[in-house]
């Protein structure tokens, strides 16, 4: 289509989770509770880690940043989704839609890289203990976190610029509860062959590679523990298994959504819920309630606050 043959879309209409009023009220209650749990759980982790000098190892340093990212990630989606569940017409301005895309990919990709860094940290601590203090020094930890944020920013910037330059001439209805690249660019009035391929490489391939690194690191951890400490193998297996469940909830949908043809799924709202709602809600439970040191520190903090 020629550049002058389309009218600029100023807003998009979000179809949301459901058009039935009773389901909207039920969804609002559930997602409000989930959002509060994400905020309180991750803030508690951050306060606990920062207030206890005993939790100064690289693992807890990275965990603290993961909690901050989870708060940011769910805050990009949940507040607007909660408001839309109470309104009849769920519209979002074009500029707000692009901003949501940018911050979602910025924070989401940063979390992918950070989860990968956390897995590598556990690999270094368990499989290479003699070199751990030098390989995961304070400078290295800050460099890893900075690289995660920088990588997420560059990835998101490319996605955002790619979306902004597309011509939109209608329709302007998005079958989801937030703006995401696959569904938004399908509304563009142009051939999407190259855009689709680039999106698969820039998002799907990154998610897949990070997930494979995570799987490999956990596999090496299990093999190392089984060879050295047979009596602690089942405990480590249980911990790694719970971590992999949460990681799969985050990476699995991302790989499924982005590493495929755009027309494969007309709507992915239910798939998106796993990494926009459930994964941030599960992270505090999995990474802290199964950790004895964090639970002891939380109890100590509770007693200090009551004193």
């Amino acid at each position: 289509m020629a550049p002058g043959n389309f009218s600029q879309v100023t807003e998009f209409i979000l179809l949301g989770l459901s058009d039935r009023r009773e389901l909207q009220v039920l969804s609002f209650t559930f997602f409000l509770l989930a959002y509060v749990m994400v905020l309180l759980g991750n803030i508690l982790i951050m306060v606990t880690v920062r207030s206890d000098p005993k939790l100064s190892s690289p693992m807890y340093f990275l965990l603290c940043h993961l909690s901050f990212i989870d708060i940011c990630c769910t805050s990009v989606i949940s507040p607007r989704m909660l408001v839309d569940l109470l309104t009849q017409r769920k519209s979002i301005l074009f500029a707000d839609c692009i901003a949501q895309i940018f911050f979602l990919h910025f924070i989401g990709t940063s979390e992918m890289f950070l989860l990968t860094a956390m897995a590598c940290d556990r690999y270094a601590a368990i499989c290479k203990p003699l070199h751990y203090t030098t390989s995961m020094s304070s400078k290295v930890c800050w460099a890893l976190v900075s690289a995660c944020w920088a990588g997420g920013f560059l990835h998101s910037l490319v996605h955002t610029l790619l979306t902004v330059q597309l011509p939109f001439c209608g329709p302007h209805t998005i079958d989801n509860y937030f703006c995401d690249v696959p569904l938004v660019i399908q509304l563009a009035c142009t051939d999407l062959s190259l855009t689709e391929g680039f999106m698969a490489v820039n998002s799907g391939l990154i998610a897949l590679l990070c997930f494979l690194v995570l799987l490999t690191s956990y596999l090496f951890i299990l093999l190392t523990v089984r060879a050295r400490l047979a009596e602690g193998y089942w405990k480590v297996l249980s911990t790694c298994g719970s971590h992999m469940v949460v990681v799969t909830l985050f990476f699995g949908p991302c790989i499924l959504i982005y590493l495929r043809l755009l027309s494969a799924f007309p709507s992915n709202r239910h798939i998106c819920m796993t990494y926009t709602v459930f994964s941030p809600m599960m992270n505090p439970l999995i990474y802290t309630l199964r950790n004895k040191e964090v639970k002891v520190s939380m109890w100590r903090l509770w007693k200090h606050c009551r004193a």
Side-chain angles (χ1 to χ4, degrees), residues 14-18 31 77 81 100 104-105 173-186 199 203 249-250 252-278:
L14 302 172
L15 295 185
L17 294 171
S18 174
F31 289 114
I77 303 296
M81 178 180 66
Q100 194 174 62
L104 180 64
H105 279 268
T173 302
I174 300 175
D175 191 8
N176 210 329
Y177 55 92
F178 68 99
C179 288
D180 197 12
V181 171
L183 294 179
V184 171
I185 66 175
Q186 284 187 75
M199 186 191 72
S203 289
L249 281 175
F250 181 76
C254 295
I255 296 172
L256 181 64
I257 290 172
Y258 292 100
L259 201 62
R260 61 169 173 81
L261 295 176
L262 292 178
S263 58
F265 299 106
S267 174
N268 51 32
R269 69 182 77 176
H270 298 103
I271 302 175
C272 294
M273 286 172 58
T274 57
Y275 68 88
T276 58
V277 178
F278 294 116

Side-chain angles (χ1 to χ4, degrees), residues 4-297:
N5 293 342
F6 68 90
S7 57
Q8 178 66 47
V9 172
T10 58
E11 68 174 14
F12 294 107
I13 303 298
L14 302 172
L15 295 185
L17 294 171
S18 174
D19 55 358
R20 295 175 57 185
R21 187 60 184 172
E22 59 273 16
L23 287 179
Q24 289 179 351
V25 174
L26 185 62
S27 299
F28 175 84
T29 304
F30 173 78
F31 289 114
L32 178 60
L33 291 174
Y35 184 49
V36 171
M37 285 180 61
V38 170
L39 293 180
L40 294 180
N42 285 291
I43 289 174
L44 179 60
I45 292 174
M46 294 169 63
V47 172
T48 302
V49 172
R50 295 299 298 270
S51 62
D52 194 341
K54 294 182 180 180
L55 302 180
S56 58
S57 66
M59 179 179 70
Y60 297 114
F61 173 81
L62 297 175
L63 179 61
C64 189
H65 281 273
L66 177 64
S67 295
F68 176 72
I69 285 180
D70 276 337
I71 291 174
C72 295
C73 187
T74 193
S75 295
V76 172
I77 303 296
S78 294
R80 185 176 190 97
M81 178 180 66
L82 291 171
V83 172
D84 286 343
L85 284 170
L86 300 178
T87 58
Q88 198 67 27
R89 189 174 187 270
K90 304 169 179 60
S91 62
I92 181 171
L93 294 176
F94 180 82
D96 293 342
C97 183
I98 296 300
Q100 194 174 62
I101 289 174
F102 173 80
F103 286 108
L104 180 64
H105 279 268
F106 176 28
I107 298 167
T109 307
S110 299
E111 182 166 359
M112 285 186 187
F113 293 146
L114 185 61
L115 286 169
T116 307
M118 292 175 68
C120 293
D121 168 71
R122 290 299 82 207
Y123 167 79
I126 296 173
C127 301
K128 307 288 184 181
L130 297 179
H131 304 283
Y132 182 66
T133 54
T134 54
S135 61
M136 291 300 295
S137 63
S138 178
K139 290 183 178 180
V140 172
C141 288
W142 276 109
L144 281 175
V145 171
S146 301
C148 291
W149 284 108
F153 177 80
L154 291 175
H155 161 85
S156 182
L157 185 63
V158 170
H159 256 334
T160 304
L161 293 177
L162 182 69
T163 305
V164 168
Q165 58 84 33
L166 292 174
F168 294 93
C169 56
H172 61 295
T173 302
I174 300 175
D175 191 8
N176 210 329
Y177 55 92
F178 68 99
C179 288
D180 197 12
V181 171
L183 294 179
V184 171
I185 66 175
Q186 284 187 75
L187 304 177
C189 307
T190 186
D191 178 42
L192 297 174
S193 302
L194 292 177
T195 305
E196 184 182 66
F198 185 78
M199 186 191 72
V201 173
N202 193 35
S203 289
L205 194 59
I206 288 177
L208 180 61
L209 290 176
C210 289
F211 187 60
L212 291 177
V213 171
L214 278 161
L215 286 177
T216 303
S217 63
Y218 280 121
L219 178 62
F220 277 115
I221 288 172
L222 291 174
L223 292 175
T224 301
V225 173
R226 186 172 187 177
R228 297 178 184 174
L229 302 169
E231 67 278 2
Y233 176 73
W234 292 110
K235 181 180 179 181
V236 175
L237 179 62
S238 175
T239 302
C240 290
S242 61
H243 286 189
M244 283 308 304
V245 168
V246 178
V247 165
T248 302
L249 281 175
F250 181 76
F251 280 94
C254 295
I255 296 172
L256 181 64
I257 290 172
Y258 292 100
L259 201 62
R260 61 169 173 81
L261 295 176
L262 292 178
S263 58
F265 299 106
S267 174
N268 51 32
R269 69 182 77 176
H270 298 103
I271 302 175
C272 294
M273 286 172 58
T274 57
Y275 68 88
T276 58
V277 178
F278 294 116
S279 182
M281 186 172 60
M282 293 294 292
N283 279 343
L285 300 176
I286 296 300
Y287 286 101
T288 58
L289 293 184
R290 298 179 61 88
N291 190 305
K292 185 177 179 180
E293 288 182 318
V294 176
K295 287 190 290 186
V296 170
S297 296

